[in-house]
Amino acid sequence: MKLIIPGRLPGLNDITDAARRNRYESAAMKKEYTELVAWCVKRARLPHLQRVDMVITWYEPNQKRDKDNIMAGQKFIWDGLVMAGVLSNDGWKQIGDITHRFRIDKYNPRVEVELIEVKAS
C-alpha cells in the first residue's frame, strides 16, 4: 500500500525554529501537517492495519536540506496515520522497521510512504 504526500514536510530545523519563536506556532505547525497527512491517507483509502513496516522515500527539489533534517517529518506521517485510523497508535507494537530513501525531483517534491503489513507471528 502506498501513500503519497505532495510537497515537502517541515524538517527538524523548521520545527525547532517554530518552537523557539512561539510554542503556539509549533503546535499550529504540528496540527497543520498532521491533518494534511491524515487527509492524504483518507484520500488513498488505506485500511486499518495492526502493524506495519515502512519505506519512506523523500523526494526533495534539491540537496539543500540534510537527510537527518528531512527525516524529522516522519512524526507528521505517523501522527497522520493514527488520526486517519489506519494505525491505532504509533508505538513499537504498530510500527516495525523503517527504511528511508532520498531522491531528487525538482518538479514534483513529495513523500511516498510504502506500508507493508506485518502479520503477527
Side-chain angles (χ1 to χ4, degrees):
M1 289 165 265
K2 188 177 278 190
L3 166 66
I4 299 174
I5 304 158
R8 298 184 333 165
L9 295 175
L12 184 59
N13 292 343
D14 303 316
I15 297 164
T16 303
D17 290 346
R20 286 182 179 156
R21 280 191 299 271
N22 182 314
R23 66 179 168 182
Y24 300 109
E25 183 179 341
S26 63
M29 175 187 286
K30 183 179 183 309
K31 182 179 187 296
E32 175 185 354
Y33 286 97
T34 298
E35 287 177 353
L36 167 70
V37 172
W39 181 82
C40 292
V41 170
K42 288 178 182 182
R43 189 176 71 192
R45 298 178 186 226
L46 299 177
H48 179 79
L49 301 167
Q50 295 296 316
R51 182 174 172 83
V52 296
D53 288 341
M54 292 185 190
V55 178
I56 304 173
T57 306
W58 305 90
Y59 289 89
E60 291 281 306
N62 52 48
Q63 294 178 345
K64 289 183 179 178
R65 297 198 304 173
D66 293 335
K67 293 176 180 181
D68 61 336
N69 187 18
I70 296 166
M71 289 178 2
Q74 73 186 350
K75 178 65 176 158
F76 303 115
I77 295 169
W78 295 353
D79 290 348
L81 287 165
V82 171
M83 181 183 278
V86 171
L87 296 175
S88 58
N89 198 351
D90 60 356
W92 285 63
K93 290 181 181 178
Q94 295 79 28
I95 298 176
D97 294 332
I98 305 146
T99 302
H100 293 276
R101 297 182 178 148
F102 301 89
R103 305 290 184 264
I104 301 298
D105 188 335
K106 184 176 179 179
Y107 303 105
N108 185 21
R110 65 195 179 280
V111 182
E112 292 185 2
V113 183
E114 184 180 354
L115 301 171
I116 303 159
E117 188 170 15
V118 177
K119 298 291 182 185
S121 50

